Amino acid sequence: MSIEAPVAPTTLPMLQVDGFSKRFGEVQANSDVRFDVHAGEVHALVGENGAGKSTLLKMVYGVYEPDEGRMLIDGEPVALGSPAAARSRGVGMVFQDLRLVPAFTVTENIALAANPGPVLRLKDLAAEIAEASARHGLAVHPNARVRHLSIGERQRVEILKVLMTGARLIILDEPTSVLAPQEVDALFAVVRQLTEAGFGIVIVTHKLGEVRAIADRVTVLRAGRTVLHGVDPDDYDDEQLIEAMVGRAVPALPAERGPVPPSDVPALELTGVSSRGDRGHEALTDISLRVQPGELVGIAGVAGSGQRELCEVALGLRPTTSGEVRIGGASVDSARDAIGAGAASVPEDPVADSVVRRLTVLEHMGLDGRRIPARGLGVDWAAVRARMTDADARLGLRIAPAKRRLSELSGGNIQRVILTRELALDSSLVVAAYPSRGLDVANARRTQEVLLERRAAGSGVLMVSEDLDELMALADRIVVMHDGHVSGEVLAADFDRQAIGRLMVGGTS
Amino acid sequence: MTTLLDPTPSLVEPGERPDRRAAALRATGRWAAAIGGALVIFSALLLLRGANPLEALGDMWVSTFLRGRSLAEILNVMAPITLAALAVLVPARAGLTNVGGEGQLMLGAIAAGGTALALDQQLPGPLVLVLALVAGGVAGAAWAGVAAILRLRFQVDEAVSTLLLNFIALDLLLFLIYQPWRESAAGQPTTRELADAAKMPVITGTVINVGIIVALAATVVVILVLGRTRWGFRLSVVGGNAEAARRAGMNVAGLVISALIVGGLLAGLAGAIQFTGIEYKLRAGFGLQIGYLGFLASWLARHRPLPVLLASFVLAALAIAGDSLQLDAQLPAASVNILTALILAAVLGWTTVKARRA
């Protein structure tokens, strides 16, 4: 780690949160939370989903009012009623989902946020932007159209936007979740430059590697309480930090796993497959890929490199324009072919692709693609329930009660329902897109174990993830995609972040 | 929130606590307020026309609900409206918008009429009646099937195709009564009247015909089929998220076709009942607007079968009230359409607001 600006506890913090409490109905989202940020430091805020991070930040940013507690900016108590008030006090926020208008230029987007009054002086603003971006090492061209920018560049525009509105304290909400490794490095370089210039940075993350790479101090929230407050991450090892987040020790993944058994018939085989995306563009070009039974193949790539289309083609959900897809040797042209050949799948966006909001957990358990258990003309719900209980007991992801409608569940709970249904199947192939997305540390770990169990049971597993560490921990082989092509392939013995990162942006390893 | 040691996952989202009884009370209140508001606006319109609104509304109430035979009339009118509403409700379960109840009903009436008028001199009346009902249902189903094929083959939205098919059905009816099926003696273009033996019987001691029993039975069947069968379950998956249905390996196209066809069958049955139980002859203006009233009833009931019965009853009562308005207050019968429209707008407006909040 690097400390550009030494932490000086004697100086007044830019921001000090004193015992914030917030209750939503029966949920105590924050209780007596303490948090502070000094000028020139990076303070990481970590915790599981639902630990209260976003509630805390929304109170800091003026979206919610705390029930109890007070907040000081530069030692002076403030009550922020709105984000506008927060901005006027120098607090800025970069949201996880970037909020830019793609058809506008960088300058126009910033003009929207900077609220320059009735007359737009875009030229003056563009000059200011060029000056600010040069000063902070942001490398953003004011006249570029946002839709032509990469995700990393768009994020820099967001940071610039926050800077231009006069922020001195910048909150970055899970900024790395959408970035390739190189872009993460570039972002961290920007963050270091900002702290050197005296800005205070809050970075929300759940990746310990990032805490160690960038943070001067770390605060851990669990169940709405401050478990560790502003400690130096170097004083704690990973197990201790995870235990602070989770409340108990989480076992490490088994390091030893058997070799991939030789097999004549691959679990999944794509031969020269091309396919179109939803907008009619060529989303996959000449993809050839094999997953053996008992092998876990990871797919790495910058978001939108064709991962979604690859999964859909493999599952017979998207027509190919050329090439052939086989599961266990059987040709696949439709979802029913794929299911018939023994495929199970965890979709990239379960809410859009697998969830019927007004149906219950139990009813979703009947939608695993297998024949619905029959009783006369009706559904044998007792059989479905037995299946569900058995699956839940075997997988241990503790799904929500059978009668709950999916519309009442949070993203993580929905994910656990879908994971339990699909990974409990006796499948020959598992296609899992971002399986641990939205899960807390313990459930994410359990999901990874289950994927390894499927592999050990002889399923071929194709897994897409945005978390390179996760892929390197699980995969026998990582296939890297770039712009609809396979740009390279790396075996477990040769895993190397930088090499994979270069392939992700279209270079060679 | 949840820790790992917590045995049950935390599910309560902030500010969410379902309370069914309070929700039902609120819904009733909304309906009452909507109907009350509509009545106030309607009274203002009556005043503008120089009528005494209290008197006119009082007359409507008396002649609609308190006169001897009027309840029976409402139930007779309600039967085809209920079936036409179910014809919207079943496809809606699969996420489809069937605006074609009017045309499917017309085809059902044509088939029922053609069958019954061809056979009522040769076969025993009850048999003719049953054949007419079957023919009506089949014809309505076939007419909806046209829209289903258009959707699957050419991606024509079923809301558009079913609506346009209504006009074709109407022209087909007019052609038949002006030309081949016209009773030459009559001045108005109509078919001859159905033989008494083949008319739908009335419930003993009343003037209520058996149509309402068919409609109630159909409602029960729809409740059971949608709620208890695998087909009904699959329809609700397709209607809730067609992509989820596809990924679960369901035959989405087959389910869409079958839902539309069952809808058409119910509308066709409505036409057959309108013919054999109420009008007895095909004429210009036959069964006019029943398909659309059914559409409104289903939407008012948010596509739920039991509330459809209530909505159909209210719409039938309003239709009867319109006649009394014409007779008692010397206002055009169409005036009541204004009241109907006001109530619909108010109820739909308010329930939609609620749905958006929920």
Side-chain angles (χ1 to χ4, degrees):
Chain A
M1 74 173 263
S2 56
I3 301 180
E4 273 83 18
V7 180
T10 46
T11 61
L12 218 48
M14 294 175 91
L15 171 81
Q16 186 178 346
V17 169
D18 238 3
F20 266 3
S21 293
K22 182 75 182 175
R23 170 181 282 276
F24 295 104
E26 308 203 334
V27 179
Q28 186 74 43
N30 269 194
S31 44
D32 195 24
V33 169
R34 285 169 300 140
F35 188 63
D36 58 75
V37 188
H38 288 265
E41 74 160 340
V42 179
H43 195 150
L45 182 62
V46 302
E48 302 259 76
N49 293 318
K53 289 172 301 192
S54 46
T55 304
L56 170 62
L57 293 179
K58 281 179 176 164
M59 288 190 289
V60 168
Y61 193 53
V63 179
Y64 297 150
E65 302 238 9
D67 297 338
E68 280 169 54
R70 59 175 196 155
M71 180 165 111
L72 297 86
I73 291 179
D74 300 326
E76 189 186 315
V78 289
L80 303 172
S82 69
R87 285 194 291 269
S88 74
R89 298 304 302 254
V91 178
M93 179 122 162
V94 174
F95 292 94
Q96 198 176 348
D97 47 329
L98 304 177
R99 299 172 179 195
L100 298 171
V101 184
F104 281 14
T105 64
V106 169
T107 307
E108 286 164 345
N109 267 288
I110 290 177
L112 278 178
N115 194 16
V119 182
L120 270 181
R121 290 200 180 80
L122 285 180
K123 273 201 182 134
D124 298 355
L125 187 59
E128 280 178 51
I129 290 168
E131 192 271 324
S133 69
R135 180 153 37 96
H136 299 297
L138 281 159
V140 170
H141 196 286
N143 294 331
R145 296 237 170 246
V146 164
R147 78 171 115 83
H148 296 143
L149 301 183
S150 71
I151 299 289
E153 289 170 315
R154 291 183 197 203
Q155 197 170 48
R156 292 204 281 280
V157 176
E158 288 279 11
I159 294 173
L160 199 54
K161 196 163 98 181
V162 168
L163 289 171
M164 303 286 295
T165 54
R168 295 173 300 122
L169 174 74
I170 300 172
I171 302 168
L172 304 169
D173 188 9
E174 302 210 16
T176 60
S177 59
V178 289
L179 300 180
Q182 281 77 5
E183 292 178 309
V184 173
D185 294 345
L187 171 72
F188 285 179
V190 168
V191 167
R192 285 196 194 96
Q193 210 161 350
L194 287 172
T195 51
E196 262 171 53
F199 289 88
I201 307 281
V202 177
I203 184 165
V204 179
T205 180
H206 55 263
K207 296 178 189 166
L208 293 182
E210 292 176 359
V211 172
R212 298 202 180 282
I214 192 75
D216 302 305
R217 291 195 295 149
V218 59
T219 287
V220 179
L221 294 187
R222 185 173 81 233
R225 291 176 184 280
T226 321
V227 181
L228 290 177
H229 173 219
V231 300
D232 185 337
D234 288 351
D235 295 343
Y236 294 81
D237 62 24
D238 282 2
E239 275 64 42
Q240 287 171 314
L241 287 176
I242 288 178
E243 193 167 344
M245 287 163 69
V246 175
R248 65 152 205 228
V250 173
L253 281 174
E256 239 354 84
R257 60 193 74 122
V260 178
S263 165
D264 297 335
V265 184
L268 172 70
E269 183 170 32
L270 273 65
T271 324
V273 168
S274 298
S275 177
R276 292 192 193 288
D278 292 337
R279 284 172 287 126
H281 62 293
E282 185 159 273
L284 295 178
T285 309
D286 194 24
I287 303 266
S288 292
L289 180 78
R290 256 167 178 260
V291 182
Q292 295 291 354
E295 184 185 31
L296 196 155
V297 174
I299 299 289
V302 178
S305 297
Q307 296 96 323
R308 179 187 178 97
E309 290 82 3
L310 177 70
C311 292
E312 290 183 352
V313 160
L315 293 165
L317 292 163
R318 182 177 288 275
T320 56
T321 48
S322 65
E324 202 188 11
V325 179
R326 289 180 174 275
I327 295 178
S331 179
V332 169
D333 275 323
S334 70
R336 298 177 108 180
D337 290 346
I339 290 167
S345 69
V346 180
E348 174 175 324
D349 183 351
V351 174
D353 294 337
S354 276
V355 165
V356 185
R357 290 177 51 79
R358 59 171 179 263
L359 296 188
T360 63
V361 171
L362 180 65
E363 286 167 323
H364 278 80
M365 284 292 149
L367 296 176
D368 60 9
R370 286 15 179 207
R371 190 179 295 281
I372 296 175
R375 224 180 78 189
L377 288 173
V379 180
D380 185 354
W381 290 114
V384 177
R385 186 180 292 271
R387 221 193 247 180
M388 178 183 78
T389 313
D390 169 62
D392 197 25
R394 277 194 291 135
L395 266 66
L397 290 172
R398 299 195 333 275
I399 55 176
K403 281 189 173 170
R404 299 304 291 248
R405 287 169 195 259
L406 273 272
S407 58
E408 298 167 7
L409 302 190
S410 66
N413 276 308
I414 289 173
Q415 183 77 356
R416 278 145 67 181
V417 170
I418 304 296
L419 284 168
T420 299
R421 182 181 78 197
E422 295 295 323
L423 298 183
L425 291 170
D426 185 19
S427 53
S428 67
L429 173 71
V430 175
V431 177
Y434 313 99
S436 48
R437 185 178 269 184
L439 300 181
D440 55 30
V441 173
N443 281 309
R445 176 57 48 82
R446 180 61 200 139
T447 301
Q448 292 163 350
E449 286 170 6
V450 171
L451 287 168
L452 290 176
E453 286 164 18
R454 286 308 317 155
R455 173 189 176 277
S459 293
V461 181
L462 184 73
M463 171 178 171
V464 178
S465 175
E466 63 204 356
D467 183 348
L468 217 43
D469 295 321
E470 180 179 41
L471 287 178
M472 295 198 297
L474 295 177
D476 297 299
R477 193 153 56 91
I478 292 179
V479 172
V480 186
M481 291 187 74
H482 172 71
D483 194 23
H485 297 74
V486 169
S487 57
E489 192 177 304
V490 190
L491 291 174
D494 311 325
F495 283 163
D496 167 48
R497 290 184 67 85
Q498 293 309 315
I500 294 172
R502 279 193 296 279
L503 290 169
M504 283 167 76
V505 294
T508 51
S509 59
Chain B
M1 303 251 22
T2 147
T3 70
L4 271 178
L5 306 173
D6 186 348
T8 53
S10 154
L11 302 161
V12 186
E13 317 262 332
E16 197 181 39
R17 214 57 303 229
D19 183 341
R20 289 216 171 139
R21 201 195 297 170
L25 263 176
R26 275 200 304 278
T28 315
R30 264 196 315 276
W31 269 75
I35 291 174
L39 283 175
V40 169
I41 299 175
F42 187 61
S43 303
L45 289 173
L46 289 177
L47 266 179
L48 283 177
R49 289 277 289 132
N52 177 345
L54 286 180
E55 214 169 273
L57 290 173
D59 284 349
M60 270 171 70
W61 178 261
V62 169
S63 56
T64 307
F65 291 108
L66 304 179
R67 223 182 49 210
R69 295 178 128 201
S70 47
L71 186 66
E73 282 174 34
I74 293 176
L75 292 177
N76 285 343
V77 172
M78 175 185 164
I81 295 179
T82 303
L83 286 164
L86 296 174
V88 177
L89 184 150
V90 172
R93 188 58 62 100
L96 300 166
T97 311
N98 179 18
V99 199
E102 193 83 357
Q104 291 145 18
L105 181 145
M106 215 78 86
L107 258 285
I110 290 170
T115 308
L117 296 176
L119 300 175
D120 63 352
Q121 309 299 331
Q122 291 104 23
L123 295 178
L127 180 59
V128 172
L129 176 62
V130 169
L131 288 174
L133 292 179
V134 170
V138 169
W143 202 240
V146 174
I149 289 167
L150 285 173
R151 183 186 153 105
L152 289 178
R153 276 278 138 145
F154 307 106
Q155 282 84 46
V156 182
D157 192 306
E158 79 285 347
V160 175
S161 61
T162 52
L163 179 65
L164 295 180
L165 284 166
N166 288 347
F167 297 104
I168 300 176
L170 179 61
D171 287 336
L172 181 62
L173 174 78
L174 292 176
F175 165 72
L176 289 171
I177 60 174
Y178 272 95
Q179 291 279 334
W181 290 2
R182 183 168 186 165
E183 185 182 21
S184 46
Q188 293 287 328
T190 74
T191 62
R192 72 171 168 83
E193 189 168 321
L194 180 63
D196 283 348
K199 285 178 183 169
M200 186 153 282
V202 295
I203 297 166
T204 320
T206 70
V207 292
I208 303 169
N209 76 45
V210 180
I212 188 67
I213 292 176
V214 177
L216 291 175
T219 308
V220 171
V221 170
V222 164
I223 289 173
L224 291 177
V225 166
L226 290 184
R228 296 284 173 85
T229 66
R230 291 194 297 286
W231 184 73
F233 174 59
R234 290 192 176 107
L235 283 196
S236 59
V237 175
V238 170
N241 184 347
E243 180 64 18
R246 189 169 81 102
R247 287 182 183 245
M250 288 184 189
N251 177 359
V252 176
L255 288 165
V256 161
I257 292 187
S258 61
L260 257 183
I261 284 179
V262 168
L265 184 142
L266 289 162
L269 198 55
I273 286 175
Q274 179 75 6
F275 176 81
T276 55
I278 297 177
E279 301 202 32
Y280 310 127
K281 50 171 95 170
L282 296 174
R283 56 185 181 84
F286 175 93
L288 206 58
Q289 301 229 317
I290 292 175
Y292 296 120
L293 286 176
F295 186 79
L296 293 173
S298 184
W299 276 87
L300 280 178
R302 300 257 213 112
H303 308 313
R304 285 168 305 174
L306 276 180
V308 150
L309 290 177
L310 178 65
S312 304
F313 181 82
V314 169
L315 290 173
L318 280 167
I320 301 288
D323 297 340
S324 75
L325 200 62
Q326 183 174 25
L327 296 174
D328 301 339
Q330 275 83 53
L331 288 167
S335 310
V336 82
N337 290 347
I338 298 176
L339 180 58
T340 310
L342 285 171
I343 291 178
L344 293 174
V347 171
L348 283 178
W350 283 35
T351 48
T352 315
V353 168
K354 186 228 161 197
R356 216 175 288 139
R357 282 205 202 108

